[in-house]
Amino acid sequence: MLTGPAKLPPPYRIKVVEPIPFLSADERRLALAEAGHNPFNLRADQITIDLLSDSGTGATSAAQEAAAALGDESYAGARSWFRFRDEVRDLTGYPHILPVHQGRAGERILFSSLLKPGQICISNTHFDTTHANVKLAGAEPRDLPCPEAADLDSDEPFKGNIDLAALERVLTGPEGHRVGLVLVTITNNGLGAQPVSMANLEAVRELCQRHAVPFFLDAARFAENAWLVREREPAYSDWTPRQIATRAFQLADGCVVSLKKDGLTAIGGLIGLRDDELHATCEANLIATEGFSTYGGLAGHDLERLAQGLKEVVDPAYLQSRAASTARLAQMINDAGVDTIQPPGIHALYLNAGRLLPHLAPHEFPGHSLGCQLYLDGGIRCAELGSLYLGGMDDEHRLVTPAPFELVRLAIPRRVYTDAHFEYVASVLADIAKEPERVRGYRIVSSPPLLRHFKVRLEPLAAGPTAGAVA
Ligand code: F0G
């Protein structure tokens, strides 16, 4: 598909830039303290490299901005809507397309229309808002990741897969009648950005058809999954990413998509459906809560950027260079002595903070500690995925059940940072890895009852080994 030297550069050059701030070490220390030692509370103008999320943080293209100027803001039946709808229909093959302002709005509308209280929604891994929206619909989210996902270091190509044997056991067992939906997340953001194979999707489709259970995709990173399929699943090595993505959508009964990722835009989402009745129910909910069915909470200019972004995101040259850029960052980080979930995915790298900081016990939040140190030393912001986010706490905010792993996610915004930025990130991490014992643990000062990681406030523990770590 691509010819020329093995290392092709990204298929774009930079036309518009934005300055990034460089604070002094004292300013960073003060900023983090004022933020309650929670990077979510930092102001963007206090951050040098922001790897908190790949969602809505990408750069748009000149073609997208040109299209945006054509945005038709008519309340109903805007030209921009038809452009968007036709592009999505062509990509996904679904006859019914509903626009929403972002992924979680689609989740709320779909689940409240499809799931009944008491039912089970099975996934490879539910993203946190997906999990919350299944619960809000009165149903039970259940994760069945494949067993290979538990080994962070192995090179298994498709650790994002759902566990087919476990899925079949639930479908044929006493709870089988309660399964209201199987939702496969591509790629698996909750578990290391790992891809799902087409063979796995085919098998899920077969099981769901046999048991008359709807099968949907949470397809926020459908193009990146397609690229990894092309690279790692031999039967698809000569398919284009777009053909693979279309095939994946074809296998499912519908999809819910946050377009803030592979839509290459700041905002947007969609629900794709085959079923007429489900479409009618979702459409009524959409009109009541998001907006009329030809804009769904989006402006005409957003729909235009999306229609163009969906074309650009499946460009093999773009996907190849993005995957290679993430892989190079992973290599630099690994060479510096910091382990990441293997093999590297595309939209994020997951640092194994538990292994890097063995002097910190889970209740001292090694992942959070590493995230704070990256900010203190280099102005880098990222997100913890460990016991602070996933652990079970008692009423005094003491950790009762640690998370299985203490990870930190470095999310990679699309078309935003160059290899020079990533060399900087790797060098900050390398310095931490030379003296890991200087990283201090944290304790919770106050915490909200729900979605703790967003608003929790913490304070650093005194330097030196603590009782918990010695035990
Ligand atoms: N599904 C997946 C797999 C996601 O990663 C996200 C968002 C959503 C659904 C929700 O979409 O944000 O548009 O409402 N993930 C972001 C992240 C926030 O940083 O991983 P949304």
Side-chain angles (χ1 to χ4, degrees):
M1 186 180 305
L2 296 176
T3 54
K7 274 195 191 168
L8 284 173
Y12 50 82
R13 56 182 176 171
I14 297 162
K15 200 197 233 353
V16 178
V17 297
E18 176 181 29
I20 55 178
F22 292 91
L23 276 63
S24 69
D26 280 345
E27 286 169 331
R28 290 195 298 264
R29 204 165 32 246
L30 194 64
L32 192 63
E34 278 173 359
H37 298 97
N38 181 351
F40 267 105
N41 294 331
L42 289 167
R43 296 164 51 116
D45 57 12
Q46 296 168 324
I47 294 158
T48 302
I49 308 275
D50 202 346
L51 306 182
L52 186 64
S53 180
D54 66 316
S55 183
T57 52
T60 51
S61 66
Q64 283 179 289
E65 293 311 313
L70 299 174
D72 175 358
E73 308 298 345
S74 303
Y75 188 90
R79 284 188 309 276
S80 305
W81 154 249
F82 291 107
R83 234 170 259 146
F84 170 81
R85 187 203 62 180
D86 293 349
E87 188 58 42
V88 176
R89 268 196 188 154
D90 202 44
L91 173 71
T92 64
Y94 299 127
H96 299 300
I97 307 298
L98 295 170
V100 289
H101 83 275
Q102 67 181 93
R104 64 199 74 181
E107 292 163 0
R108 176 181 55 73
I109 291 169
L110 179 69
F111 300 158
S112 61
S113 307
L114 182 61
L115 288 170
K116 294 186 192 62
Q119 284 192 321
I120 303 169
C121 177
I122 297 182
S123 179
N124 46 349
T125 309
H126 293 82
F127 179 66
D128 58 7
T129 60
T130 323
H131 188 274
N133 276 303
V134 169
K135 283 185 127 175
L136 283 172
E140 177 199 331
R142 199 175 290 180
D143 291 343
L144 296 180
C146 66
E148 291 81 4
D151 181 350
L152 305 189
D153 303 311
S154 77
D155 269 333
E156 288 292 325
F158 289 108
K159 292 201 255 184
N161 284 352
I162 202 166
D163 183 338
L164 292 168
L167 174 62
E168 184 160 19
R169 271 198 302 279
V170 179
L171 288 169
T172 52
E175 291 179 317
H177 67 284
R178 282 177 56 211
V179 179
L181 175 64
V182 175
L183 181 75
V184 177
T185 312
I186 58 171
T187 56
N188 194 345
N189 182 25
L191 266 183
Q194 299 295 311
V196 178
S197 72
M198 299 300 280
N200 195 254
L201 294 180
E202 303 245 12
V204 173
R205 172 196 166 91
E206 199 275 314
L207 277 173
C208 286
Q209 278 187 340
R210 199 167 353 127
H211 294 275
V213 172
F215 164 32
F216 274 63
L217 293 178
D218 175 350
R221 299 175 182 87
F222 69 88
E224 295 179 356
N225 199 79
W227 181 259
L228 294 172
V229 163
R230 185 181 180 279
E231 293 285 281
R232 298 181 189 177
E233 196 167 356
Y236 292 87
S237 60
D238 57 359
W239 288 45
T240 65
R242 190 182 165 98
Q243 285 169 332
I244 296 169
T246 301
R247 175 72 186 139
F249 285 118
Q250 259 173 12
L251 290 170
D253 298 307
C255 67
V256 59
V257 188
S258 165
L259 292 171
K260 300 179 66 168
K261 288 84 169 168
D262 278 350
L264 297 178
T265 50
I267 200 76
L270 68 90
I271 305 171
L273 299 166
R274 293 190 204 289
D275 188 86
D276 296 339
E277 214 176 301
L278 182 58
H279 169 248
T281 316
C282 288
E283 187 178 38
N285 191 325
L286 178 82
I287 296 172
T289 60
E290 277 280 290
F292 189 60
S293 37
T294 63
Y295 74 91
L298 292 166
H301 57 78
D302 296 325
L303 292 165
E304 292 283 354
R305 284 191 188 90
L306 281 166
Q308 175 63 23
L310 289 171
K311 285 193 214 295
E312 293 176 10
V313 78
V314 288
D315 172 10
Y318 157 74
L319 286 167
Q320 183 184 50
S321 87
R322 177 160 162 79
S325 165
T326 304
R328 278 195 297 276
L329 176 58
Q331 192 63 56
M332 287 189 279
I333 291 174
N334 298 156
D335 289 348
V338 180
D339 290 337
T340 51
I341 295 189
Q342 295 295 338
I346 299 185
H347 84 274
L349 292 173
Y350 297 68
L351 312 178
N352 191 335
R355 192 176 289 163
L356 181 68
L357 308 174
H359 62 290
L360 297 180
H363 73 266
E364 297 166 313
F365 307 121
H368 184 78
S369 305
L370 180 58
C372 287
Q373 201 65 44
L374 278 164
Y375 179 73
L376 290 170
D377 291 359
I380 299 160
R381 177 161 74 168
C382 47
E384 190 250 19
L385 282 180
S387 290
L388 185 63
Y389 169 50
L390 293 166
M393 309 267 178
D394 67 14
D395 292 344
E396 308 292 312
H397 315 308
R398 279 182 306 232
L399 185 68
V400 182
T401 329
F405 302 108
E406 303 295 340
L407 303 173
V408 175
R409 186 183 77 164
L410 304 184
I412 318 285
R414 293 169 182 77
R415 307 191 289 202
V416 169
Y417 294 120
T418 66
D419 281 354
H421 295 102
F422 293 142
E423 279 165 23
Y424 170 77
V425 171
S427 75
V428 174
L429 256 175
D431 285 345
I432 295 174
K434 279 182 205 139
E435 275 183 283
E437 56 293 336
R438 87 184 157 84
V439 179
R440 290 155 71 180
Y442 283 80
R443 74 170 200 91
I444 294 177
V445 175
S446 67
S447 174
L450 276 179
L451 294 170
R452 174 173 62 225
H453 53 296
F454 290 121
K455 297 310 281 179
V456 62
R457 295 183 77 84
L458 304 100
E459 65 182 15
L461 297 165
T466 67
V470 171

